[in-house]
Amino acid sequence: LNVSTVIPQSEAVTDTFDKLFRQKVQAAADTSVGAQDGYHGRRTLLLVLLVVALVAGVAMAWLLSRSITGGVNQVLHAAEGIAEGDLDQQVDVKSRDEVGEMAAAFQRLIDYLRDLAGHADAIAAGDLTKEITPRSERDVLGVSLKAMNESLAEIVGAVQHSAGLLASSAQEMASSSEEAGRAVGEIASAVSDVAQGAEKQVRSVEEAKAATE
């Protein structure tokens, strides 16, 4: 081998490997920098998403708490009013959860009490013609109010019947008294006629007696 030719070729190969090595090192460095940039970007994105999720969770919890509190406060206010005898209450909760179901049931209770109060007002005013229909066999107030209304209707009917009989009897007594009065008048007239006749006879006798003397 010729040393003068081998050495330059060896140096050329060495330079080539050196360039390749530097390129690989540079590529690895670029890759590392890109990976670090990507890591930092993903970490920042993750932090932003966590903050957004936290804010959204807090907002949803606040809205849910406000919805529950609002419905419960409406029911509580209505219950306090009913406890004082005020049935002019309204519960308006639009949610479809347990609070909404509770509010709807409480509104049905208010409507039920208003219905009973209306029947009671009618009975107090003397109107016993309204039909009272209990909600069920376990409707203690409805069943009792219906029984009371029916009992009062029977009592009023009996009183009206007795009043009719009394009126008829009074009319008959008045008619009998009128007939008795007419009979007494006729008797008095007859007695007066008899008295006048007797007086005439006495006068005639006296005149006849005076004439004979």
Side-chain angles (χ1 to χ4, degrees):
L1 294 175
N2 191 350
V3 177
S4 60
T5 58
V6 171
I7 291 175
Q9 292 178 354
S10 174
E11 290 178 353
V13 170
T14 301
D15 292 338
T16 301
F17 277 110
D18 185 54
K19 290 180 180 180
L20 289 174
F21 177 76
R22 285 198 297 270
Q23 290 177 355
K24 294 295 182 182
V25 170
Q26 185 64 38
D30 294 339
T31 302
S32 176
V33 172
Q36 290 180 356
D37 293 339
Y39 167 74
H40 290 300
R42 288 191 295 272
R43 185 179 66 177
T44 303
L45 178 61
L46 181 61
L47 290 175
V48 171
L49 291 176
L50 287 176
V51 171
V52 171
L54 180 61
V55 172
V58 171
M60 290 181 63
W62 180 77
L63 291 175
L64 181 60
S65 174
R66 183 178 179 182
S67 175
I68 294 174
T69 304
V72 171
N73 285 336
Q74 285 193 47
V75 174
L76 177 61
H77 178 74
E80 290 176 346
I82 292 174
E84 295 177 355
D86 182 10
L87 298 181
D88 188 16
Q89 305 295 329
Q90 187 71 29
V91 177
D92 186 16
V93 179
K94 302 298 184 181
S95 62
R96 297 184 179 180
D97 53 7
E98 289 79 3
V99 176
E101 293 177 357
M102 177 188 68
F106 201 83
Q107 183 60 48
R108 290 194 297 272
L109 172 62
I110 295 174
D111 295 337
Y112 165 73
L113 293 175
R114 286 176 179 171
D115 185 54
L116 291 182
H119 288 300
D121 289 339
I123 292 174
D127 183 7
L128 303 178
T129 60
K130 288 187 177 181
E131 183 178 358
I132 301 175
T133 304
R135 301 293 177 90
S136 66
E137 295 179 354
R138 295 179 295 178
D139 183 4
V140 178
L141 291 177
V143 171
S144 299
L145 195 62
K146 180 181 180 181
M148 182 179 69
N149 186 71
E150 292 175 350
S151 298
L152 289 175
E154 291 179 358
I155 293 173
V156 171
V159 170
Q160 289 177 346
H161 180 69
S162 299
L165 292 177
L166 289 174
S168 178
S169 299
Q171 186 176 1
E172 291 178 358
M173 290 177 65
S175 178
S176 299
S177 298
E178 185 178 356
E179 292 177 356
R182 283 199 299 269
V184 170
E186 292 176 357
I187 293 173
S189 178
V191 170
S192 177
D193 292 339
V194 171
Q196 290 178 0
E199 184 178 357
K200 288 180 180 180
Q201 290 178 0
V202 170
R203 190 178 302 114
S204 298
V205 170
E206 288 180 352
E207 290 177 354
K209 183 179 178 182
T212 57
E213 292 178 354

